[in-house]
Amino acid sequence: MNETKTEALSSPWSGGVSPFAMGSKKLGMWLFIISDALTFTVLLVSYSYLRFANPDWPRPFPFFNAITFSTLMTVVLLASSLTMVMAVAAANRGLRDTAVKWILATMLGGALFVGLHLTERMHLIEEGVRPFSNPWGPPLFGAAFFGITGMHMTHVAIGVIYLGIVSLGFGRGKFSPEDVEVSGLYWHFVDLVWMFVFPLIYLMSVKH
Amino acid sequence: MVTHESGAVHAHAAPTGFIWKYIFSTDHKIIGIQYILLALVSAFVGMFLSVLMRIHLVWPNAKLPFIAGGVMTPEQYLALLTMHGSIMVFMVLTTAPQSGFGNYFLPIQIGAADMAFPVINMLSFWITFLSLLVMLAAFFVVGGAPISGWTAYPPLSALGEIAGPGQGAGQTLWVIGVAIFCGASLMGALNFITTTIDLRTKGMSLMRMPLTVWAWFLTAILGLLAFGVLLAACILLLLDRTAMTSFFIPGGLVITDQQVAHKGGSTLLWQHLFWFFGHPEVYIAILPGMGVTSHMLSTFARKPVFGYRAMVYAMCSIGFLGFCVWGHHMFVSGMSPYSALAFSLLTMSIGVPSAIKTFNWLGTLWGGQIRFTTAMLFALGFVSLFVSGGLSGLFLAQPAIDLYFHDTYFVVGHFHLIMGVAAIFGMFSALFFWFPKMFGRHLNEPLGKLHFWITFIGVYAIFMPMHYLGMAGHPRRYSDLSGANFLGPLMPVQRFISIAAFLTIAVQFIFLINFLWSLKFGKKAEKNPWEATTLEWTIPSPPPHDNFAGVEPVIYRAAYEYAQPGAVEDYVPQHLAPEQVARAR
């Protein structure tokens, strides 16, 4: 074959991570995010489909206090994304202690979000909302609410633990700045999912 | 421990001690063998279930072992059918071709010392093993195994005990088992993709990768996109079963005189989600077989793969189209005829890349100096089964014809030929080819050929008549045929199929004996017994712990350079530099 003579050693491929220039850990996290995004997509599409299929779907959330409360949750979560950006930036500049502080701030934001969310759930349960029934009509309202927000809250809780491990490892010099960045990818992804959950579950259910 | 520049662990010291070396090993080669053994055991379990079903179909009053009460009830038949399908699809067809052979040979063929994430690799095997145990546990709980088929359509699968025996704890275990399996498969897929992208050695550009690597890479992408969807569907189904939600259960159902409290859900939603996973799953099972077949035909016809690039693009387009056609499993679900038309056209368009592959396989054979080893015979068998099973797919792709065929044996014949047997032939071919590399000894060739010929004729004798049964209107999933008069004349055909099945399954023990005997007494294998070109044949058989003993190989040429003009040998391995070839000349 002529191809072999011309191509012999002139192949641009030199092994390693180029030309994609992405480390395995970061690539692995992106791939996880793709598959997890599909899982959330299925949950949200199923919810949307069932909502269309049930014309009497309730819109029970009053602007004050339910929407304002969930907006507060959103602000807390988004703020924790900002602190995560600061953590990654500090880690990349080699400021180990600063990075750890920003990660701890991010964990605090995540924990606060989970706490607020649990408070809100307790409130709804007191009102009589269950996965299989609620005071306002189609039982699927409770199922979708608890199922989807529960799935997201689990991701936030796992993220807080994950960040805890990263902050310990990075603080002791065992983890690299790339590890911080990879954990940041996960954290931003979880925030991004909330930016779909918030309008679809909360804002579209605001009381007239 | 050496850390690769990409951050992945690249080489690690060989572990000592039995447990870390053979049980919780992070060596991709050990994990590959573990997956193959898991698939082998599962395959025999699945075959045993099918034997019980085939006996009952033909001799409905026969007393059977392992069946409570002796004579099989219709529900027990459905439980066997469900578990046969689930075990074969998840534990055999998804594990052996991809996680088994892929694990063992993908890193070696791209010149890497291990997978990108060895620990995740180990976890993914043990989680798969856990899911097999959970699934098999369904046999031993109150009510037994579920009866809703491997597709687990609601409301049957969602309602719990009132829907029938096995729909209580058994079905719950099934759903949990499948969900766990999804997690393990996602971990595997992520690992395969990262390894292929990041750990290729110097000179191994994409278009120089062996077609097996392309197949495993694309299968991993399909797995990454499909299993996340099934995972979400399983979570919703599990909520329906345990938290009394109604995602998949519509209102107003009355089951065995009981009004069901659920309302508002949709059974079609499950079908959409399941088949969005389920159709790509077919390609997850068969793509590695396609890669292996291309590899064998080129190696044993002593010719480069005809149209290498076309083969790559065909596999890519089959993978892509595989995500656009899930609706053809739902033609009888009452979907809009316009949707059915779109799904039908897309489905038939898969015939184009499939035909490209088939003609390129024939083109690879054309004018070659064919060596009829057992591995080659199984690869040729794959081509034959792929064509036979694929052509009936074109019938089923048309809604008007599918309406008649959908619940008949025609479908059973179709998917067993293409998804079941063709993929299994790909695995046999891979095993006969790579056994010398994996264990340092050859499988016995005469026994292998005997096994091949009887199996090849046997599977056609089993599944071809099923197409005729389907055309005659024989419904599938029926456990007792004696009640319907119109099925009477078809009974001899069923009897023929059963006897053919018993013979074919009996012959698999020849293979099992060959496998066990050859491990210890087989002919010793050299480094490169097949005179092949890819990297796994440049290292000892079996390979050392870190594959290339710390030296990264350099690649100078494409994967299949057989019968090159000017070269002394009729093959030029990928790692041979041009000056080395010249010196040989």
Side-chain angles (χ1 to χ4, degrees):
Chain A
M1 292 214 123
N2 288 329
E3 197 192 19
T4 54
K5 282 175 195 150
T6 53
E7 214 188 323
L9 244 184
S10 62
S11 165
W13 187 259
S14 56
V17 294
S18 77
F20 304 102
M22 192 190 277
S24 295
K25 283 179 187 169
K26 204 191 277 183
L27 181 59
M29 180 53 80
W30 272 114
L31 294 172
F32 168 77
I33 286 173
I34 290 173
S35 78
D36 211 31
L38 275 162
T39 305
F40 273 110
T41 306
V42 167
L43 296 179
L44 290 170
V45 167
S46 302
Y47 157 70
S48 310
Y49 174 78
L50 292 169
R51 187 174 166 139
F52 271 115
N54 287 275
D56 53 345
W57 196 270
R59 298 178 62 174
F61 293 142
F63 178 76
F64 198 80
N65 204 1
I67 296 296
T68 46
F69 193 81
S70 53
T71 307
L72 176 68
M73 284 161 56
T74 310
V75 171
V76 169
L77 201 60
L78 287 184
S80 78
S81 247
L82 185 64
T83 55
M84 193 68 223
V85 170
M86 302 302 283
V88 173
N92 281 334
R93 276 181 288 145
L95 306 171
R96 215 164 267 279
D97 293 342
T98 320
V100 169
K101 275 177 203 153
W102 283 118
I103 296 177
L104 290 177
T106 311
M107 289 167 64
L108 190 70
L112 189 60
F113 174 84
V114 173
L116 289 172
H117 205 335
L118 288 175
T119 314
E120 189 211 18
R121 289 187 150 212
M122 290 309 292
H123 187 68
L124 281 169
I125 290 169
E126 270 168 32
E127 279 189 60
V129 185
R130 301 284 183 276
F132 42 84
S133 71
N134 62 68
W136 312 299
L140 271 170
F141 175 83
F145 180 86
F146 287 119
I148 292 170
T149 61
M151 185 80 172
H152 177 261
M153 192 167 58
T154 312
H155 275 73
V156 176
I158 290 172
V160 171
I161 297 166
Y162 176 26
L163 286 179
I165 296 167
V166 168
S167 69
L168 279 179
F170 189 67
R172 290 179 187 170
K174 279 186 179 170
F175 288 177
S176 65
E178 198 201 8
D179 293 318
V180 179
E181 194 183 341
V182 170
S183 68
L185 281 177
Y186 175 84
W187 193 259
H188 296 313
F189 165 69
V190 172
D191 279 10
L192 183 66
V193 170
W194 181 255
M195 294 321 292
F196 286 88
V197 173
F198 179 56
L200 283 171
I201 300 273
Y202 289 90
L203 296 185
M204 286 179 68
S205 301
V206 65
K207 217 172 205 164
H208 289 292
Chain B
M1 188 181 276
V2 181
T3 308
H4 194 261
E5 62 170 305
S6 63
V9 177
H10 194 256
H12 36 82
T16 49
F18 182 80
I19 289 187
W20 297 109
K21 205 169 173 185
Y22 295 111
I23 309 292
F24 296 109
S25 171
T26 54
D27 184 343
H28 69 101
K29 297 186 286 297
I30 301 289
I31 297 169
I33 292 171
Q34 287 174 326
Y35 265 116
I36 290 168
L37 292 180
L38 178 135
L40 198 62
V41 171
S42 306
F44 274 89
V45 172
M47 277 196 306
F48 175 70
L49 301 181
S50 69
V51 170
L52 291 179
M53 286 190 285
R54 288 303 325 175
I55 294 176
H56 177 74
L57 274 177
V58 184
W59 297 283
N61 298 318
K63 290 228 178 235
L64 294 165
F66 301 103
I67 297 293
V71 177
M72 202 185 287
T73 63
E75 289 80 8
Q76 284 170 332
Y77 179 87
L78 289 175
L80 293 182
L81 184 132
T82 303
M83 295 305 279
H84 169 79
S86 311
I87 289 172
M88 287 300 201
V89 171
F90 290 113
M91 300 302 166
V92 181
L93 296 175
T94 314
T95 57
Q98 174 76 359
S99 314
F101 290 106
N103 235 320
Y104 200 112
F105 288 105
L106 184 137
I108 303 183
Q109 287 193 329
I110 60 172
D114 204 328
M115 294 289 250
F117 308 110
V119 175
I120 289 183
N121 204 13
M122 182 262 284
L123 286 176
S124 106
F125 170 76
W126 284 106
I127 295 174
T128 306
F129 183 70
L130 175 70
S131 85
L132 174 64
L133 291 187
V134 172
M135 204 182 264
L136 287 178
F139 276 121
F140 303 103
V141 293
V142 179
I147 60 172
S148 57
W150 86 280
T151 54
Y153 275 14
L156 183 56
S157 63
L159 284 172
E161 275 162 6
I162 56 163
Q167 294 310 98
Q171 182 76 57
T172 305
L173 284 173
W174 185 94
V175 179
I176 294 172
V178 172
I180 295 173
F181 187 84
C182 291
S185 299
L186 286 171
M187 290 160 78
L190 182 156
N191 212 346
F192 272 67
I193 299 173
T194 310
T195 306
T196 314
I197 290 180
D198 270 358
L199 296 192
R200 276 171 295 140
T201 191
K202 192 170 161 61
M204 183 61 85
S205 55
L206 289 175
M207 284 301 160
R208 283 173 171 183
M209 296 197 307
L211 284 172
T212 41
V213 174
W214 266 109
W216 289 319
F217 178 52
L218 291 169
T219 303
I221 294 175
L222 293 187
L224 189 84
L225 301 177
F227 279 106
V229 173
L230 182 63
L231 178 63
C234 282
I235 291 171
L236 295 181
L237 186 58
L238 200 59
L239 285 175
D240 273 5
R241 300 184 53 79
T242 55
M244 291 159 63
T245 61
S246 317
F247 289 108
F248 301 125
I249 311 171
L253 284 181
V254 178
I255 309 282
T256 49
D257 297 331
Q258 286 182 58
Q259 173 90 34
V260 174
H262 298 265
K263 63 175 182 181
S266 161
T267 56
L268 274 184
L269 178 61
W270 169 269
Q271 294 191 24
H272 280 292
L273 298 181
F274 182 85
W275 287 116
F276 188 85
F277 147 79
H279 198 79
E281 166 67 23
V282 176
Y283 298 109
I284 289 172
I286 197 108
L287 273 178
M290 292 181 177
V292 165
T293 297
S294 310
H295 203 72
M296 299 308 140
L297 295 190
S298 171
T299 304
F300 293 115
R302 314 309 291 169
K303 276 181 66 193
V305 168
F306 184 84
Y308 173 93
R309 273 172 192 271
M311 290 300 237
V312 172
Y313 298 145
M315 278 197 283
C316 293
S317 50
I318 288 175
F320 171 75
L321 286 170
F323 279 102
C324 309
V325 299
W326 77 91
H328 70 221
H329 297 271
M330 299 165 58
F331 286 153
V332 296
S333 70
M335 64 159 46
S336 155
Y338 297 108
S339 312
L341 184 67
F343 280 123
S344 169
L345 288 173
L346 281 163
T347 304
M348 283 190 274
S349 68
I350 295 185
V352 176
S354 304
I356 290 175
K357 291 204 76 74
T358 307
F359 285 117
N360 281 5
W361 284 327
L362 299 181
T364 306
L365 290 173
W366 186 264
Q369 296 187 312
I370 300 177
R371 297 177 181 176
F372 286 103
T373 59
T374 311
M376 179 63 161
L377 289 177
F378 273 111
L380 292 170
F382 177 96
V383 177
S384 163
L385 292 160
F386 181 69
V387 173
S388 315
L391 283 177
S392 54
L394 289 175
F395 289 71
L396 294 170
Q398 299 169 61
I401 302 176
D402 183 67
L403 286 181
Y404 177 78
F405 278 143
H406 192 85
D407 273 322
T408 71
Y409 267 84
F410 192 91
V411 175
V412 182
H414 161 72
F415 73 71
H416 273 92
L417 275 186
I418 192 138
M419 185 192 184
V421 187
I424 298 265
F425 268 50
M427 278 181 259
F428 276 133
S429 179
L431 194 65
F432 274 87
F433 184 68
W434 280 316
F435 193 89
K437 183 54 61 184
M438 294 162 80
F439 301 107
R441 287 175 187 278
H442 282 271
L443 283 165
N444 184 291
E445 284 282 312
L447 271 184
K449 283 177 185 165
L450 180 73
H451 167 230
F452 164 78
W453 281 111
I454 303 179
T455 308
F456 184 66
I457 296 167
V459 291
Y460 269 116
I462 298 167
F463 297 113
M464 265 308 180
M466 287 191 184
H467 294 82
Y468 299 110
L469 287 180
M471 284 184 224
H474 196 316
R476 57 174 165 152
R477 302 197 186 100
Y478 279 28
S479 73
D480 187 358
L481 316 172
S482 53
N485 284 335
F486 79 101
L487 293 177
L490 297 174
M491 201 56 178
V493 182
Q494 285 284 17
R495 207 172 292 135
F496 175 80
I497 293 174
S498 278
I499 291 166
F502 301 149
L503 284 175
T504 311
I505 287 172
V507 167
Q508 301 318 303
F509 286 92
I510 296 183
F511 163 74
L512 193 64
I513 291 164
N514 192 354
F515 185 90
L516 297 173
W517 185 84
S518 301
L519 276 178
K520 198 139 180 69
F521 306 109
K523 192 174 70 140
K524 284 246 181 192
E526 302 148 24
K527 210 184 226 182
N528 189 1
W530 310 118
E531 302 184 303
T533 54
T534 43
L535 275 178
E536 74 269 31
W537 304 108
T538 64
I539 54 177
S541 314
H545 175 70
D546 56 355
N547 296 346
F548 297 96
V551 186
E552 279 200 26
V554 181
I555 297 303
Y556 293 93
R557 55 194 73 250
Y560 301 104
E561 300 211 340
Y562 293 97
Q564 297 298 309
V568 175
E569 309 262 14
D570 77 334
Y571 65 104
V572 187
Q574 283 191 281
H575 70 293
L576 225 51
E579 58 270 20
Q580 284 172 294
V581 181
R583 210 178 307 140
R585 195 182 303 160

